[in-house]
C-alpha cells in the first residue's frame, strides 16, 4: 500500500482536472493582486489621518509585484500648522515576510521626496529605522523677515520608536551641505546670500524631550557649535527650546558683524555666546 501511494499521488498530479484547478487558483490570485480596488482603502487611510488632525491625500494607489503597495503622490499637512504640505512621491511599501510570523509584523518602505530618498523599515510596536539621502530643501524661516534657508540633507539616519512620547527612545544623525541663507539685504548686508557651508548634528530623544548632543557648522562666514534640548508639545507655543550656541565669525560681512555686536558683546577670543530659551513661538535670545 505504501509503495502504491506515491504513484497514486503522481497520477493525481497529472490529472487534467487537478492541473486546471491549480491554474484557476493561480490566475485568481494574480487577478486579485493586480485588480483589487485600492481607492476605498486609500480613502480609509485619509479618514484615519483626519481623526488625528492631519490632512492626507493619496493619489493613484496601486499594487506592486510581488506583494507591495505603492502610490505616485501623497500629500500630508496639519490643520493647526501654517506650513506648506509635505509631499511624498513614488511610495513603495512591502511586508517583511519573516516578521509576519511573529507578534511584531513590519514593512519596508521606500519614499522619494525633495529629490532624495528615504529608505527603511517600520514595525507595529513603533520601531522605525530609516536612512535619508540627497534631500534638497528650501524653507522660509520667518514670513515677516523673509529669510529662506536652503541646502541638501546629504545623509541621515534614524533609529528609534515613534511617537516621541512616553519612554520611547530614538537617535538621529544628520549631515547637511551647501547651506545658504538668503534675505539678508534687509539687515544691511552687502550680499543678499550668506553661505553657511556644512552642518552635522547628533540628537537623542526620550519621549518628547530631544537632547541635542552636538551641533556643528563650518562655513566661510563663521563656525557654529551648539548643544541643548528641545521639548515637543502639542502646539508650537507649547514646545520649548533651551539651546546654548557659540558663533565664531571668520569672513563675515561688516554689517552683519555690527548687528551681532548690538545683540551680544563678543568674548575675548572674538566669539559670541547665545542662549536661546523659551517657547518656540517666542524664543528669547540672551
Amino acid at each position: 500500500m505504501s509503495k502504491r501511494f506515491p504513484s497514486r499521488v503522481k497520477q493525481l498530479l497529472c490529472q487534467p482536472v487537478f492541473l486546471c484547478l491549480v491554474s484557476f487558483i493561480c490566475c485568481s490570485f494574480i487577478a486579485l493582486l493586480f485588480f483589487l480596488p485600492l481607492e476605498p482603502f486609500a480613502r480609509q487611510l485619509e479618514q484615519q489621518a483626519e481623526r488625528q488632525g492631519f490632512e492626507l491625500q493619496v493619489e493613484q494607489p496601486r499594487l506592486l509585484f510581488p506583494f507591495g503597495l505603492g502610490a505616485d503622490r501623497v500629500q500630508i499637512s496639519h490643520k493647526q500648522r501654517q506650513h506648506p504640505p509635505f509631499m511624498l512621491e513614488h511610495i513603495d511599501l512591502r511586508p517583511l515576510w519573516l516578521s509576519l510570523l511573529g507578534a511584531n509584523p513590519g514593512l519596508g518602505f521606500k519614499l522619494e521626496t525633495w529629490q532624495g530618498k528615504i529608505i527603511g523599515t517600520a514595525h507595529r510596536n513603533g520601531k522605525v529605522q530609516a536612512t535619508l539621502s540627497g534631500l534638497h530643501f528650501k524653507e522660509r524661516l520667518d514670513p515677516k523677515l523673509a529669510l529662506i534657508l536652503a541646502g541638501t540633507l546629504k545623509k541621515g539616519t534614524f533609529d528609534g520608536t515613534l511617537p516621541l512620547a512616553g519612554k520611547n527612545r530614538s537617535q538621529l544623525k544628520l549631515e547637511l551641505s551647501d547651506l545658504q541663507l538668503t534675505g539678508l539685504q534687509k539687515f544691511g548686508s552687502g550680499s543678499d546670500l550668506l553661505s553657511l557651508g556644512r552642518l552635522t548634528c547628533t540628537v537623542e530623544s526620550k519621549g518628547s524631550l530631544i537632547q541635542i548632543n552636538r551641533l556643528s557648522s563650518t562655513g566661510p562666514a563663521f563656525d557654529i557649535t551648539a548643544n541643548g534640548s528641545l521639548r515637543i508639545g502639542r502646539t508650537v507655543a507649547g514646545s520649548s527650546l533651551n539651546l546654548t550656541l557659540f558663533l565664531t565669525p571668520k569672513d563675515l560681512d561688516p554689517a552683519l558683524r555690527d548687528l551681532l555686536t548690538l545683540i551680544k558683546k563678543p568674548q575675548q577670543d572674538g566669539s559670541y555666546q547665545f542662549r536661546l530659551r523659551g517657547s518656540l513661538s517666542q524664543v528669547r535670545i540672551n
Side-chain angles (χ1 to χ4, degrees):
M1 181 71 179
S2 59
K3 293 182 179 180
R4 289 184 296 173
F5 179 76
S7 61
R8 290 184 178 180
V9 172
K10 185 176 180 179
Q11 292 177 0
L12 176 62
L13 294 178
C14 294
Q15 290 296 324
V17 175
F18 180 80
L19 296 178
C20 291
L21 179 61
V22 173
S23 300
F24 174 77
I25 294 174
C26 293
C27 292
S28 299
F29 179 77
I30 293 174
L32 179 65
L33 180 64
F34 282 100
F35 299 105
L36 178 70
L38 294 181
E39 287 293 337
F41 176 71
R43 302 294 83 83
Q44 289 182 1
L45 287 179
E46 293 174 352
Q47 294 175 4
Q48 291 290 338
E50 187 175 2
R51 296 189 184 99
Q52 302 298 324
F54 290 90
E55 293 183 354
L56 179 68
Q57 295 182 7
V58 181
E59 299 182 12
Q60 298 182 2
R62 64 184 186 279
L63 287 165
L64 304 175
F65 184 83
F67 314 112
L69 292 174
D72 288 336
R73 186 180 176 93
V74 174
Q75 178 175 295
I76 306 172
S77 60
H78 198 280
K79 297 180 179 180
Q80 299 180 353
R81 297 180 181 179
Q82 300 299 322
H83 190 278
F86 182 67
M87 305 299 301
L88 295 174
E89 300 176 352
H90 305 298
I91 298 173
D92 187 328
L93 306 176
R94 300 178 187 270
L96 300 175
W97 295 107
L98 293 180
S99 71
L100 301 182
L101 302 176
N104 188 31
L107 58 84
F109 58 85
K110 180 180 179 181
L111 316 173
E112 294 186 13
T113 183
W114 292 351
Q115 305 176 42
K117 296 180 180 180
I118 304 175
I119 302 174
T121 60
H123 291 77
R124 186 171 64 181
N125 65 354
K127 181 68 175 179
V128 175
Q129 291 181 320
T131 59
L132 306 88
S133 60
L135 276 66
H136 297 264
F137 61 90
K138 189 175 183 180
E139 188 75 14
R140 184 177 294 273
L141 299 181
D142 191 326
K144 296 180 181 179
L145 299 178
L147 292 174
I148 298 177
L149 178 66
T152 302
L153 176 54
K154 187 175 181 180
K155 62 180 179 180
T157 59
F158 177 86
D159 186 356
T161 304
L162 297 177
L164 300 180
K167 297 182 179 180
N168 292 346
R169 293 180 177 270
S170 301
Q171 292 183 341
L172 175 66
K173 295 182 180 180
L174 301 174
E175 180 179 332
L176 298 93
S177 61
D178 302 323
L179 293 174
Q180 296 180 341
L181 185 65
T182 57
L184 294 173
Q185 285 184 336
K186 292 185 177 181
F187 298 91
S189 174
S191 174
D192 198 48
L193 185 146
L194 177 64
S195 178
L196 304 178
R198 177 175 173 270
L199 182 145
T200 58
C201 183
T202 302
V203 171
E204 293 182 354
S205 70
K206 180 180 180 181
S208 61
L209 180 62
I210 299 176
Q211 190 70 37
I212 304 172
N213 295 331
R214 177 72 174 177
L215 186 152
S216 176
S217 174
T218 303
F222 51 73
D223 294 340
I224 291 177
T225 59
N227 58 76
S229 62
L230 170 65
R231 185 173 293 277
I232 300 178
R234 293 183 176 272
T235 62
V236 175
S239 303
S240 60
L241 177 68
N242 184 2
L243 186 70
T244 301
L245 184 148
F246 298 91
L247 187 151
T248 304
K250 294 192 292 189
D251 187 16
L252 185 62
D253 186 285
L256 297 179
R257 189 184 291 267
D258 293 340
L259 182 61
L260 282 176
T261 305
L262 292 176
I263 300 174
K264 188 83 171 183
K265 292 183 178 181
Q267 302 185 93
Q268 292 183 354
D269 60 356
S271 65
Y272 295 81
Q273 178 180 338
F274 299 97
R275 291 183 178 177
L276 288 72
R277 296 180 178 179
S279 169
L280 289 184
S281 62
Q282 193 174 4
V283 177
R284 301 188 306 273
I285 302 178
N286 301 321

